[in-house]
Amino acid sequence: MGIEIKPENTIFTSTEMDIQDLYKCVHCGLCLSSCPTYTVLGKETDSPRGRIAYMKAIYEEKTDLTPRIVSHLDSCLQCRACESVCPSGVPFGRLMEHTKSYIVNKKKYSFFRSVVNKFLYKVVFPKQFILSLLSIGIKVYKALKLNKIRILMPSFMIPLDKMITDTPKEVFRADGSIFYSNPITKKRSVALLSGCVMPIVQSDTMRATVRVLNKNGCDVFVPESQKCCGALNIHGGDLEGAKSLAKANIDAFIDLDIEAIIVVSGGCGAIMKEYFDLFKNDEEYLEKAIRFSNKVKDISEFL
Ligand code: SF4
Ligand code: SF4
């Protein structure tokens, strides 16, 4: 490859990216047809292979992080569709998460975007209290039928409106409840991640999950001290915020006598199965994060 890899000296050091992963791509192009941004935009620069080329060029100091490069990296949806078809096992999701963190650290986003991101990642998603206020706001929005007053609705709200009006009436609270299964059936014990937005916009799904688990002989515990999984922080480049949420979740679940930590939101599960990546240099939490990640199961994987 013609370059000496010295992770301790790299521009990605602060994000703890595993630099070897950058060089796993063999440029075969098998991922291109699976990438939604490539199929829509049709440009190599908006493909997984193109984005990896940019990351390498930045690492090898062949280019600066220009606004044009940031826009191509930023258009990645972080859906990881490219990962599942890659014959070289390039962990693209992790590479992109570290790259986003690098973009944030280099202050390459506009002031407005940085402020909005900080507000969402530091204030809204980690705080159940703020999310409860959000659910009250949704109830008021629906009760007053504010969506009928078109003049009040900015254009960005139009796609959100259907999601808001479809929101179930009651939120699903993570309040430390234990939902017991039929005492006659064979017992299993699991804990459930409720998450940040799921208890509001998918509360019916959460309740149905508990019923299905109970029917299958599982007692279901919903720890009160759990937090948002941190996926949104990670996707936005806020790795420190994600670490603090991950620590709270590890502390909430790790000592429970349970068979599995059940998730019903695939994005949360994918991140929680990789919590260990956040604690590579944290002696206190690495071992706990590995044990935690091993217990995380999507409900369809568990049943
Ligand atoms: S499939 Fe994997 S190895 Fe092939 S171009 Fe895409 S990322 Fe690189
Ligand atoms: S993670 Fe990004 S590069 Fe990979 S398939 Fe999704 S949009 Fe494309």
Side-chain angles (χ1 to χ4, degrees), residues 230-265:
L232 296 166
N233 297 63
I234 290 178
H235 291 161
D238 176 25
L239 294 185
E240 283 312 309
K243 266 188 205 175
S244 125
L245 291 168
K247 278 185 180 175
N249 281 329
I250 290 169
D251 291 343
F253 287 91
I254 199 69
D255 291 326
L256 301 177
D257 184 16
I258 48 165
E259 200 176 319
I261 300 163
I262 303 294
V263 285
V264 285
S265 39

Side-chain angles (χ1 to χ4, degrees), residues 31 34-38 46-48 51 75-83 92-93 96:
C31 54
S34 300
C35 173
T37 56
Y38 178 77
D46 292 303
S47 74
R51 291 181 179 119
S75 66
C76 172
L77 306 176
Q78 299 187 64
C79 63
R80 296 189 173 199
C82 49
E83 261 191 37
F92 186 87
M96 184 49 76

Side-chain angles (χ1 to χ4, degrees), residues 24-31 48-49 52 85-88 90:
K24 286 183 180 162
C25 176
V26 294
H27 317 130
C28 64
L30 287 173
C31 54
R49 187 171 60 183
I52 291 169
V85 295
C86 175
S88 290
V90 175

Side-chain angles (χ1 to χ4, degrees), residues 22-75:
L22 275 180
Y23 292 89
K24 286 183 180 162
C25 176
V26 294
H27 317 130
C28 64
L30 287 173
C31 54
L32 299 188
S33 59
S34 300
C35 173
T37 56
Y38 178 77
T39 50
V40 170
L41 301 170
K43 289 193 217 145
E44 178 72 14
T45 45
D46 292 303
S47 74
R49 187 171 60 183
R51 291 181 179 119
I52 291 169
Y54 276 138
M55 292 174 202
K56 278 201 287 196
I58 294 165
Y59 167 63
E60 294 170 7
E61 297 180 345
K62 288 180 177 162
T63 179
D64 289 332
L65 193 54
T66 64
R68 195 169 61 84
I69 292 178
V70 170
S71 81
H72 291 305
L73 293 169
D74 222 24
S75 66

Side-chain angles (χ1 to χ4, degrees), residues 65-292:
L65 193 54
T66 64
R68 195 169 61 84
I69 292 178
V70 170
S71 81
H72 291 305
L73 293 169
D74 222 24
S75 66
C76 172
L77 306 176
Q78 299 187 64
C79 63
R80 296 189 173 199
C82 49
E83 261 191 37
S84 47
V85 295
C86 175
S88 290
V90 175
F92 186 87
R94 286 220 293 276
L95 289 177
M96 184 49 76
E97 286 155 11
H98 288 292
T99 303
K100 292 280 282 202
S101 174
Y102 180 67
I103 294 171
V104 170
N105 292 344
K106 284 282 177 185
K107 299 190 172 31
K108 294 293 178 182
Y109 290 135
S110 69
F111 175 74
F112 178 72
R113 180 168 172 180
S114 303
V115 170
V116 170
N117 282 356
K118 274 205 175 127
F119 177 68
L120 289 174
Y121 299 144
K122 307 278 187 210
V123 179
V124 177
F125 297 126
K127 305 247 174 10
Q128 208 57 46
F129 168 69
I130 303 281
L131 290 167
S132 299
L133 288 182
L134 180 67
S135 72
I136 293 169
I138 288 174
K139 276 186 185 159
V140 172
Y141 179 87
K142 283 161 71 170
L144 298 180
K145 295 191 169 46
L146 291 180
N147 57 336
K148 303 285 181 219
I149 311 170
R150 304 295 292 188
I151 199 163
L152 284 181
M153 196 186 301
S155 55
F156 73 86
M157 273 297 292
I158 293 171
L160 283 179
D161 176 59
K162 185 165 178 350
M163 197 174 94
I164 291 173
T165 44
D166 284 350
T167 303
K169 276 196 181 125
E170 295 302 323
V171 298
F172 178 87
R173 293 196 188 285
D175 57 3
S177 299
I178 303 178
F179 299 90
Y180 291 102
S181 59
N182 184 332
I184 300 165
T185 51
K186 190 167 177 288
K187 289 275 183 190
R188 301 167 84 183
S189 293
V190 298
L192 179 66
L193 176 91
S194 61
C196 57
V197 183
M198 282 290 284
I200 299 171
V201 299
Q202 293 287 340
S203 56
D204 288 348
T205 306
M206 302 303 295
R207 276 185 279 275
T209 301
V210 170
R211 285 199 301 276
V212 169
L213 286 165
N214 282 167
K215 283 274 181 200
N216 281 275
C218 298
D219 291 343
V220 183
F221 178 45
V222 191
E224 189 175 9
S225 54
Q226 63 176 298
K227 302 268 187 205
C228 165
C229 69
L232 296 166
N233 297 63
I234 290 178
H235 291 161
D238 176 25
L239 294 185
E240 283 312 309
K243 266 188 205 175
S244 125
L245 291 168
K247 278 185 180 175
N249 281 329
I250 290 169
D251 291 343
F253 287 91
I254 199 69
D255 291 326
L256 301 177
D257 184 16
I258 48 165
E259 200 176 319
I261 300 163
I262 303 294
V263 285
V264 285
S265 39
C268 305
I271 290 298
M272 290 162 69
K273 284 178 183 217
E274 292 184 356
Y275 267 180
F276 57 86
D277 189 56
L278 292 169
F279 298 106
K280 279 189 297 209
N281 295 326
D282 185 326
E283 282 181 17
E284 189 192 348
Y285 270 86
L286 180 59
E287 183 272 331
K288 286 197 253 185
I290 292 170
R291 272 197 289 134
F292 177 96

